[in-house]
Amino acid sequence: MPILSLQDVLKDYQTDGQRVQAVQGLSLNVERGELVALVGRSGCGKSTLLNLAGAMDFPTSGSVLLDGVSTSALKDAELTRLRREKVGFIFQSFQLLHTLTVFENVELPLLLAGKTNVREAARERLAWVELEGLGERFPHQLSGGQMQRAAIARALIHSPIILLADEPTGNLDTTTGNVILELLLRLTREKKTATVVATHSMEAAALADTVVRLRDGRIEEITRR
Amino acid sequence: MPPVLLFYRLMVRPLLREPVRAGLTVLAVALGVAVVLAIELAGVAATGSFHSSMEALAGENDLEITAAGGVPEAVVGTLAALPYSMRISPRIEDYAVLADTKQSFPLIGLDLVSEGGAYAERDTGSGGTLSSVETPKDSLEFLEDHESIWVGSSLGHKTGDRVRLLINDRVREYIVRGVYPDSNGDESAIVMDIAAAQQALTRYGRVDRILLKVPEEPGLGEWQLRISAALPAGVEVRPQGTGTNENRRMLAAFRWNLRLLSYISLVVGAFLIYNTISVSVVRRRPEIGIVRALGASRRVILGAFVGEAACFGVAGALIGLPLGRLMATGAVKLMASTVESLYVSSRPGAIELNAASVLLALAIGIGVAVASAYSPAREASLVSPVEAMARGRREYDASVRKVRDLWLALALGLAAAAASRAPAIAGKPLFGYLATILLVMASALAIPAFVSAVTTLTAKLLVKFFGVEAMLASRSLAASLRRTSVLVGALSTAIAMMTAVGIMVGSFRQSVVLWMSNELPADLYLRPAGSAAADRHPTISLGLAEDLAKIPGVVAVERLRAYEIRYQGMPATLASADLDVQDLIRWYPQSEFLSGRRQQQVFPELRRSNTVVVSEPFTYKHHVKAGDTITLSLGETQASFLIADVYYDYSSERGSILMDRQTMLRYLPDAAPSNLAIYVSPQARLETVRAEIEKAAAGHRVLLFSNRELRSEAIRIFDRTFAITYALEAVAAAVAVMGIAGALLALVMDRRRELSLLRFLGAATGQIRKMILVEAGLLGLLANLAGLALGFALSLILVYVINKQSFGWTIRFHWPVEILVTALTLVYAATVLAGLYPAQLAVRLNPLEAVHEE
């Protein structure tokens, strides 16, 4: 069973009285251990698709099944639990809380879930992303690449079944970006997560198992390696 | 593009998009302006435009002749015999109470034979005279009738009405013979012939004042000298209205203290404006950079943010004006009752909202707003275009120099301590006021270090008890140190004021309670009915005291008498105690003097001698002490008195002199007492004796209080006098809590990215709400701690410096724990509740809008 399944999804928004279709007729399956790259120009619907996949937003029509569960059918508390247990988010501008240390940033999802004694788990995730020894630093004391690694560690702290990354290399130089993409691929394989990356980067597309090209909210092409 | 349009688009319109937050800020300014305006208007009405009704009816005279205990009638003849062309107007001046309505009015006895005609034809400006159907001449035929009175129109009576008046302890019926128009009640009074007044008041052979109208040449000073030379030693001649001016000066300290309390709300408002503009600057750093890059000068940026603050100031002032006028109506009632209880009988004047008041409101609103905004506005003007437009640096908080500011705070604190030890200047505790200002400034500077230390120290505890939400809240407050410090500063200033005034009033109250336990030793107290005031001492008919002393169970009846006198140009009370009964009551509680001696040690020195004791306020006002000699003008003589000791006296701010009754009777032979203190045998039943006393006193309009009732009444009056300070504190606290609410709203908007991220990371809506409420709670806690500390320090200055130097009272420090805990809990609860709406807003944020870059 695919980890993520979008079936004929349509999403439109009302903006200043105008109806805007962000995605339409979109169907996609993502399997465990698969790295999927969403490519396309700005405004083609990549972020919308990620939001739908992560149960942060809901389709106007069609269905989104995450681990076999339709997200539209869930109430707010159930959605929160779903995100806590199954989804990890990674953002372009890292989105680390500058008032917390790296350890505290990584631990945050578990703390929000009410878990205690989470320092070891954080230490382990930092080791996965090769950031051992930097746990006590604050985000402003890290480089861009280190901040993104910390964000990836945070996204992995609760062992999600799916990682959703929105332009994870957008704020990084090419070399660092490549390192991050390699890291994402390795983790996808090792931890058997499904990873969906929205990207403009050709390098990301080259690394992905599946490349989904979007245009004007529709899937133009799916290329599987 | 015209500057105004540009200003509107860039500065004003964004404010309108956050109507709640902008509204709260405007309201905070408005309340500050309103309170200051209300106190100013009410102060003028209650005290500043103090215009005794007596003066209102005095007409235009030049000089007045007065004497303690009244001017002997013979002086009128002496004056008439002088070879000068003067108009001589002897007057009896006291108060009467309408028995039916219990309203108190001036009672004026005039020589209607010589003055009645002129009074009857008085032109009030409306062209009217006496509105009675009788002609003035007709009215005068009733002069022989001691039951005739003339009244002001605002009393609501007409000619022929029968009116029952309570004068001293007797109710008598009078007939209205004429009604004169009075202007809005300011000149309302009950007028009778001077002989009738003397009879009603049992003031035979004396008048209260003689007014003189003298020729213009050779000048008032010369006339004073000429007339003074003809008068007996104890009789004084001075310009008319001197008494009013003296009272006005005495009330000045009272007004000043209230003014300062009202400024606290403005100070709190200033903090909030500072915070609002600071937030505005932080949020608009990219815009500032853009605008600078497009050619705007630093001065334009500075002007823009100062202009934003001025908008708040103008809006706040415009709302504060009608609000202040409304609040003044309530304030004047509270102030007037305090003036009457502690100082002098007066009727408040009308509240006048005039051009000066409007200008004051605008000046305060705009001035405070602009002054508060200058620093963050200047900071905005120094932002360079490159810095402001740099991507990635989304979070910016001005650096806070905690250590430097802490040193400055220490220096200011030391300066405050030094200032608090300086003496008063012209009777005003100016250095005391300076010390409080320095302390508030010191506190504001120390708060960043305090916030930083407390959040660091409590971090682990917070997580343990309140979870990760508390950690996030605490870190957020610590990270925005300047913003947090300003908010804590605002709320803690209000809390400090509540604490300081609460401690001062509580200490004062406790001192009064303790003082009363020794100072009110008798079992029962009796005084004439009718409203009591600090300067009114109606008397009890002769013979009643003697009748009561015969009742079985009554051990002694102490006759007390008080007069209002002037000493060194200030009002004072001259009182006598019945030292002849001291032996009978020696086992009752004895009062203690400043020297530590007890009553039984001091009073023998006073018996039948020219030795007195004086009150603590008296020594402070007149710079005298035990062992000094004072000279008093009593009746027709001046006499010297030795001060044996000093006693505590919290009953009035006026200075008091106490002598033996027999000594007083030598100079002022009117034997009627003002009060009776009745001592009951421990073997007798108090209720039975009381019933007998009431029976014996039937026919007299008197009030009988048990010791407990009198103390309760005294405390009730005490609490009432401080009602206005409580109201001012509440306003300051409300301003601060509103500021917290507005600031939390701003915090939520500024942190929507962070709050949205938490939703992505699995935070439930309840957790977001909890985080905001914990932040509000932390702000409240920090403010409470800082406010308590500052409040304690301020209370020391209030109790030991300002109060002492303003009024001369020694107050024993006392913690009113229950009141403080209640007040602080209420403020804390209000602060947390202020976080409810921002918390709800945070929950309703759409995370998608805030987080994604696309």
Side-chain angles (χ1 to χ4, degrees), chain B residues 411-617:
Chain B
L412 286 174
L414 289 171
S420 68
R421 303 189 84 81
I425 296 177
K428 286 196 178 61
L430 296 180
F431 280 107
Y433 297 146
L434 176 65
T436 60
I437 293 168
L438 289 172
L439 267 182
V440 172
M441 286 168 61
S443 167
L445 286 169
I447 278 175
F450 168 73
V451 168
S452 186
V454 171
T455 49
T456 304
L457 287 170
T458 59
K460 287 206 170 76
L461 267 174
L462 281 170
V463 173
K464 190 173 175 183
F465 287 108
F466 296 104
V468 64
E469 299 88 348
M471 179 185 74
L472 292 169
S474 166
R475 294 292 180 92
S476 164
L477 288 180
S480 319
L481 193 56
R482 184 159 90 168
R483 181 189 283 199
T484 305
S485 300
V486 172
L487 290 176
V488 170
L491 187 56
S492 69
T493 301
I495 290 172
M497 177 195 165
M498 280 173 51
T499 304
V501 174
I503 291 175
M504 190 273 290
V505 172
S507 300
F508 199 172
R509 200 175 194 274
Q510 189 66 9
S511 298
V512 169
V513 166
L514 285 172
W515 168 75
M516 283 197 297
S517 64
N518 288 329
E519 211 56 34
L520 298 176
D523 299 291
L524 296 164
Y525 290 88
L526 186 144
R527 67 166 175 85
S531 53
D535 63 336
R536 278 193 235 162
H537 306 286
T539 54
I540 299 166
S541 302
L542 284 171
L544 179 60
E546 288 74 11
D547 290 342
L548 297 182
K550 293 175 191 160
I551 293 174
V554 172
V555 170
V557 176
E558 193 177 359
R559 290 163 295 185
L560 308 157
R561 179 65 193 258
Y563 288 94
E564 291 317 300
I565 65 170
R566 299 256 183 267
Y567 184 77
Q568 292 180 343
M570 281 189 258
T573 301
L574 175 68
S576 69
D578 211 344
L579 299 187
D580 284 345
V581 307
Q582 290 302 305
D583 286 337
L584 298 170
I585 57 172
R586 60 180 176 279
W587 62 83
Y588 280 85
Q590 302 278 309
S591 51
E592 192 180 283
F593 292 82
L594 252 73
S595 64
R597 294 198 294 165
R598 293 251 160 210
Q599 196 173 308
Q600 62 248 51
Q601 295 167 284
V602 177
F603 273 9
E605 295 175 29
L606 273 62
R607 193 170 294 188
R608 294 172 199 266
S609 72
N610 277 30
T611 305
V612 297
V613 287
V614 298
S615 69
E616 195 186 12

Side-chain angles (χ1 to χ4, degrees), chain A residues 80-98:
Chain A
T80 301
R81 196 162 53 242
L82 187 76
R83 284 195 289 276
R84 281 178 184 173
E85 291 170 4
K86 302 198 176 174
V87 183
F89 286 95
I90 301 161
F91 303 96
Q92 178 177 349
S93 52
F94 327 129
Q95 300 288 14
L96 296 175
L97 295 180
H98 67 280

Side-chain angles (χ1 to χ4, degrees), chain A residues 51 84 93 95 104 112 166, chain B residues 475 757 762 767 851-853:
Chain A
N51 291 336
R84 281 178 184 173
S93 52
Q95 300 288 14
E104 289 165 346
L112 288 169
D166 193 353
Chain B
R475 294 292 180 92
L757 172 69
Q767 289 177 301
V851 170
H852 288 298
E853 292 288 330

Side-chain angles (χ1 to χ4, degrees), chain A residues 77-150:
Chain A
E78 290 161 329
L79 286 167
T80 301
R81 196 162 53 242
L82 187 76
R83 284 195 289 276
R84 281 178 184 173
E85 291 170 4
K86 302 198 176 174
V87 183
F89 286 95
I90 301 161
F91 303 96
Q92 178 177 349
S93 52
F94 327 129
Q95 300 288 14
L96 296 175
L97 295 180
H98 67 280
T99 57
L100 305 181
T101 62
V102 170
F103 269 140
E104 289 165 346
N105 267 287
V106 173
E107 291 166 353
L108 192 53
L110 291 183
L111 293 174
L112 288 169
K115 306 251 187 320
T116 53
N117 299 320
V118 296
R119 185 53 55 98
E120 265 317 301
R123 217 182 290 277
E124 189 187 6
R125 298 310 187 268
L126 286 175
W128 287 2
V129 300
E130 296 165 12
L131 277 186
E132 307 95 321
L134 298 182
E136 296 297 347
R137 290 198 188 177
F138 284 90
H140 68 271
Q141 295 171 308
L142 303 179
S143 67
Q146 288 170 329
M147 281 197 276
Q148 193 60 294
R149 286 183 207 227

